[in-house]
Amino acid sequence: MDESGIRKRKESQNGSTDLTKDNKEVVKAIALQKDVGLLSGICLIVGTMIGSGIFISPKSVLLYSGAVGPCLLIWTACGVLSTLGALCYAELGTMITKSGGEYPYLMEAFGSIVAYLYSWTTIMVLKPSSFAIITLSFAEYASTPFYPGCSPPLIVTKCLAAAAILVITSINCLSVKLASYVQNFFTAAKLLIILVIVGAGIVLLAQGKTENFSNTFDGTATSFGAIGLAFYNGLWAYDGWNQLNFITEELKNPFRNLPLAIVIGIPLVTVCYVLVNVAYFTVMTTTELLLSPAVAVTFGDRVLYPASWIVPLFVVFSTFGSANGSCFTAGRLVYASGREGHMVKILSYINVKRYTPAPALIFNGVLAIFYTIPADINTLINYFSFAQWFFYGLTALALIVMRFTRKDLDRPVKIPVVLAGIMVLVSCYLVLAPIIDKPELAYLYCTIFIFSGLILYYPFVYRKVNWGRKIMRPITMHLQLLMDVAPPEKTE
């Protein structure tokens, strides 16, 4: 820690101490606070998982699976896989109660290099690209009503997505509680619209609208790679099941609330996804669903008219809430990585008044704005899933490894090790199947990027070159003064 940082922190603490003496309040340490309870934890999982996926990905899952029957089975299987993965993370999260998602688990099991490559890939590509994809979906739904009969101009969509990123990042920088309230509100909104869609589907089924459920397995895809891609797109819609592990240090009573939120949240999302797809198929044939530019909006136009406008409105709410959850958790990974010295130290600093990791959140937001420039969302999803599931599998393997190497660690939640083994095998399939079925250079580029992080790791992390510190010292000092941040204190 540099001397200017120490002086800044002491000045901040002294000012905070005087203020709290006048107001007879308890002085808080400069650290992330435990402000997230069980309800907010459930809302973070549900709200992040239910984003644009259920409104866009049904087309992709159906396209690759080929028929209604396998499509519904894949949606259910994706929910089961997500639950298995989350149970693995429940054991890891209650065993190693550090924020940062997979990062501390990979650090403990495999060492610094593997954890660094994960943080490098996730911070620089996976998290900001995910944030960008969700906000682009938000922008598309939000702008569509203003351009009836045609698609919104690309520049409008991109500018609106960038504006959403700025707003969401600002909310998360202002207050953890405010970000949690926003997440809770938008989670309630998306569950409400899902209830409306499912309720309408049940009514239609009761009226005999079942023609699309006959011969449901005709045309089923048999390609090894096509099924893998169907799972990719389904699991993209379920992505978010591991989000609570990114904020373990801010979770009240994590030994109870982490596994409980997982057990409640993910089955709820699975039921919602399957029933929503059933509702879609009561109204649209497979061809109509594939041709629909926005499946949920088409459903609303056919079933809820003249109140069909509520569907795109609530879809906008849904995607905004999912983007908020993505931003909330991404900042904690950047923060954890900076704290361990795998990113520049300023990214681990905390705002001395608001107790938020503002530098980390701003960094993630800036990268996300850059990722709004490419427009092909489906390509981003496929390559995002390729890299992400590599690390999911590695984390499940970390659980197995630590059963032998870290027997001394307390495990409040302990799952059968066979579940972790299943996750490793599934991850291998999801990573290798599309590559074997249809090799593309993009997969090689993704792999090269992951290992290119070693170019920076050796001089700046392993060797800790002096000239790097000399360059960063004045930059860190000025950013501390600009953002009113200080290094985090160690808390019990």
Side-chain angles (χ1 to χ4, degrees), residues 373-424:
I373 297 172
D376 191 349
I377 292 179
N378 283 326
T379 301
L380 283 172
I381 288 173
N382 287 336
Y383 299 132
F384 164 80
S385 297
F386 160 76
Q388 188 66 76
W389 275 92
F390 172 76
F391 289 115
Y392 285 159
L394 206 57
T395 306
L397 182 61
L399 186 150
I400 298 172
V401 168
M402 285 190 284
R403 285 287 180 92
F404 299 96
T405 61
R406 296 306 309 268
K407 295 179 180 179
D408 56 306
L409 292 175
D410 185 36
R411 291 171 169 82
V413 175
K414 192 171 183 179
I415 64 165
V417 74
V418 68
L419 297 184
I422 292 171
M423 281 299 298
V424 173

Side-chain angles (χ1 to χ4, degrees), residues 111-126:
S112 178
I113 292 179
V114 175
Y116 171 81
L117 290 177
Y118 165 76
S119 65
W120 158 257
T121 308
T122 307
I123 290 170
M124 299 305 295
V125 178
L126 301 183

Side-chain angles (χ1 to χ4, degrees), residues 174-186:
L174 286 173
S175 168
V176 172
K177 288 185 177 180
L178 176 60
S180 295
Y181 293 150
V182 168
Q183 190 68 23
N184 295 355
F185 172 80
F186 285 105

Side-chain angles (χ1 to χ4, degrees), residues 204 283-285 288-289 297-305 308:
L204 291 170
V283 175
M284 289 173 273
T285 64
E288 289 171 335
L289 191 143
V297 174
T298 302
F299 179 90
D301 289 339
R302 295 189 180 187
V303 177
L304 302 176
Y305 186 84
S308 57

Side-chain angles (χ1 to χ4, degrees), residues 329-392:
T329 56
R332 274 58 184 178
L333 173 59
V334 180
Y335 159 81
S337 184
R339 184 175 59 183
E340 296 293 335
H342 286 174
M343 289 285 162
V344 292
K345 280 291 183 181
I346 186 66
L347 295 178
S348 70
Y349 286 13
I350 304 292
N351 186 280
V352 297
K353 295 178 181 176
R354 303 185 185 279
Y355 304 101
T356 59
L361 292 163
I362 292 169
F363 181 76
N364 180 66
V366 170
L367 286 179
I369 290 174
F370 280 109
Y371 278 104
T372 59
I373 297 172
D376 191 349
I377 292 179
N378 283 326
T379 301
L380 283 172
I381 288 173
N382 287 336
Y383 299 132
F384 164 80
S385 297
F386 160 76
Q388 188 66 76
W389 275 92
F390 172 76
F391 289 115
Y392 285 159

